[in-house]
């Protein structure tokens, strides 16, 4: 069992790294806009390059892990991450920076499915839900690390040297991973993420033809997009402009979104299991998240302490959206679980890829021409209008909950397909 925990820890460190890199543009936005003379839309497209790769590789990642095993595939993915981060660190043009960001997304696309695969291959089925919740808690701590701590490093070393150190850290992780990780426990049945059978297309057809898949996946994408678009890109620049925070203070405030998420995910999972329902927990959590984020966006002259509390509450409350992953698993027979997971993950990546450049484009439209040290500074009105799309997303996700069928925390057991 000790070996299983060590292997799980290494796989979650990959998740930690993935989230730290994913949200890092929020603390470098001013530096990058100055370095490459970027518009808001270009900055959004740079951040979204990561999600483009993530979107393309969701289902292929599962197939490759099933075919070649986590040890080889994940080690390669970590090295691809390292190459992407290093290429970004030495980029002399915006396009090279985007290629580096895209490569980082290619490697990061394997982090979650690799961890899920290793949990299934090393732990008994009764521990699956607990280990998944713990995985997401530690993963969100990676997002916390990608805010204030990374901001501190960048302020002392510069963004290029900081990225070089992160690339080196990935290489070290890859070496340790390949030396220690084994694909499955001795005498443990191999668990496939995706079915490798001729029925795969039939399974996909069943997922696509079921309204539950679409409602849950749209809800997931809409609910998580504000976390990735605001927390992962625009939060630091918004907080410095709207509330006069220093860059480091804004990074600390932004990190509370992910810290709240880390605390909320297992609590909402426990609460949902306790009451035997998913939808009410998702509704009230999403409603609280909408109220908290809208207050930060639109209520002027809030005290700093209250802003910190509201951002923590936003992250804590929106973590309730993760219950939709349990719901989609409970809505299908086991053989379709991998296909349905891939379908839902694709929506999260799709909304992330769409939202970053969209908010950036809206900011550009309201830009007054003001720059500081070569970086665009957007007026508060631009942020109010540009970030309003995220409020609309949350309201849309609340409406969708009405159409989602309650699973009552019970696995689908019908012998027929839905």
């Amino acid at each position: 069992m000790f070996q299983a925990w060590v292997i799980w820890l290494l796989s979650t460190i990959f998740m930690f790294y993935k989230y730290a890199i994913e949200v890092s543009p929020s603390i470098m936005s001013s530096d990058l806009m100055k370095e490459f003379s970027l518009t808001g839309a270009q900055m959004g497209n740079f951040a979204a390059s990561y999600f483009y790769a993530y979107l393309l590789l969701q289902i292929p990642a599962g197939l490759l892990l099933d075919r070649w095993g986590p040890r080889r595939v994940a080690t390669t993915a970590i090295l691809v991450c390292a190459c992407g981060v290093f290429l970004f660190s030495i980029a002399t043009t915006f396009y090279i920076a985007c290629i580096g960001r895209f490569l980082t997304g290619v490697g990061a696309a394997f982090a979650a499915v690799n961890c899920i695969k290793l949990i299934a291959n090393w732990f008994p089925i009764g521990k699956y839900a607990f280990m998944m919740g713990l995985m997401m808690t530690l993963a969100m701590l990676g997002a916390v690390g990608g805010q204030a701590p990374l901001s501190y490093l960048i302020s002392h070393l510069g963004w290029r040297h900081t990225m070089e150190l992160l690339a080196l850290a990935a290489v070290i992780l890859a070496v340790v991973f390949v030396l220690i990780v084994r694909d499955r426990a001795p005498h443990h049945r191999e668990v496939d993420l995706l079915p490798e059978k001729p029925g795969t297309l039939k399974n996909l057809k069943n997922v696509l033809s079921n309204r539950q898949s679409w409602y849950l996946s749209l809800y997931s994408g809409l609910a998580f997009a504000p976390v990735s678009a605001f927390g992962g890109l625009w939060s630091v620049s918004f907080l410095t402009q709207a509330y006069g925070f220093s860059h480091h203070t804004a990074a600390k405030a932004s990190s509370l979104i992910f810290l709240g998420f880390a605390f909320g995910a297992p609590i909402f999972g426990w609460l949902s299991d306790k009451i035997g329902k998913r939808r009410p927990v998702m509704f009230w959590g999403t409603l609280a998240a909408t109220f908290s984020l809208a207050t930060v966006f639109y209520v002027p002259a809030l005290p700093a302490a209250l802003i910190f509390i509201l951002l923590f509450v936003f992250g804590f409350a929106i973590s309730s959206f993760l219950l939709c992953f349990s719901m989609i698993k409970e809505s299908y027979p086991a053989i379709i679980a991998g296909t349905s997971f891939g379908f839902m993950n694709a929506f999260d990546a799709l909304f992330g890829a769409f939202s970053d450049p969209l908010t950036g484009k809206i900011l550009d439209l309201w830009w007054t021409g003001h720059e500081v040290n070569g970086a665009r500074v957007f007026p508060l009105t631009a942020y109010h209008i540009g970030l309003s799309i995220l409020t609309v997303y949350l309201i849309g996700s609340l409406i969708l909950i009405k159409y989602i069928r309650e699973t009552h925390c019970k696995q689908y057991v019908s012998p027929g397909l839905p």
Side-chain angles (χ1 to χ4, degrees), residues 111-272:
V113 284
N114 165 72
C115 200
I116 292 169
K117 176 81 171 179
L118 286 171
I119 288 172
N121 282 353
W122 278 91
F123 289 88
I125 192 169
K127 288 185 176 289
Y128 182 82
F130 171 75
M131 299 304 298
M132 285 285 290
L134 195 57
M135 174 192 83
M136 284 307 302
T137 296
L138 295 182
M140 284 297 111
L141 292 180
V144 174
Q147 297 289 318
L150 203 57
S151 173
Y152 178 82
L153 280 177
I154 290 173
S155 67
H156 286 76
L157 301 177
W159 69 269
R160 290 187 183 275
H161 289 314
T162 301
M163 292 298 106
E164 288 171 358
L165 286 177
L166 288 179
L168 177 61
V171 172
I172 294 171
L173 176 60
V175 172
V176 175
F177 199 93
V178 76
L179 290 175
I180 295 178
V181 170
R182 296 296 178 266
D183 289 339
R184 61 185 179 87
H187 313 299
H188 196 288
R189 183 178 65 86
E190 181 79 10
V191 178
D192 286 344
L193 291 165
L194 295 173
E196 293 184 349
K197 297 179 179 180
T200 299
L201 290 178
K202 183 179 179 182
N203 295 337
L204 181 59
K205 180 181 178 182
N206 277 281
V207 170
L208 293 175
S209 63
N210 192 332
R211 291 182 182 179
Q212 181 84 335
S213 304
W214 291 94
Y215 293 148
L216 283 167
S217 298
L218 283 169
Y219 165 78
S220 179
L222 289 170
F224 188 64
V227 178
S228 59
F230 180 65
L233 182 56
W234 299 114
S235 57
V236 173
S237 58
F238 168 77
L239 292 170
T240 55
Q241 181 70 5
Y243 296 104
F245 285 1
S246 69
H247 189 275
H248 189 60
T249 300
K252 287 195 292 185
S254 181
S255 69
L256 289 174
I257 296 173
F258 303 102
L259 189 62
F261 200 108
F263 277 99
I267 291 174
F268 282 119
W270 170 83
L271 178 62
S272 177

Side-chain angles (χ1 to χ4, degrees), residues 320-337:
S320 61
F321 101 95
L322 285 173
L323 292 173
C324 68
F325 283 87
S326 296
M327 292 190 79
I328 204 164
K329 176 180 178 292
E330 292 160 353
S331 298
Y332 292 99
I335 194 171
I336 300 182

Side-chain angles (χ1 to χ4, degrees), residues 28-38 88-89 91-94 159-160 373-375:
M28 296 185 287
S29 57
S30 296
D31 292 329
L32 297 179
M33 293 177 80
K34 175 184 176 181
E35 181 80 20
F36 300 111
S37 301
L38 302 182
F88 166 53
S89 74
T92 55
T93 68
F94 171 61
W159 69 269
R160 290 187 183 275
N373 296 325

Side-chain angles (χ1 to χ4, degrees), residues 295-351:
T295 302
V296 172
F297 283 171
Y298 305 117
V299 177
L302 292 172
L306 182 56
I307 295 168
F308 276 58
I309 292 170
L310 287 169
L311 290 176
F312 180 87
V313 170
F314 166 66
F316 183 94
I318 201 59
S319 70
S320 61
F321 101 95
L322 285 173
L323 292 173
C324 68
F325 283 87
S326 296
M327 292 190 79
I328 204 164
K329 176 180 178 292
E330 292 160 353
S331 298
Y332 292 99
I335 194 171
I336 300 182
T339 307
S340 60
F341 271 129
F343 183 71
M344 179 175 281
N345 267 335
F347 273 76
D348 288 353
L350 177 64
F351 275 92

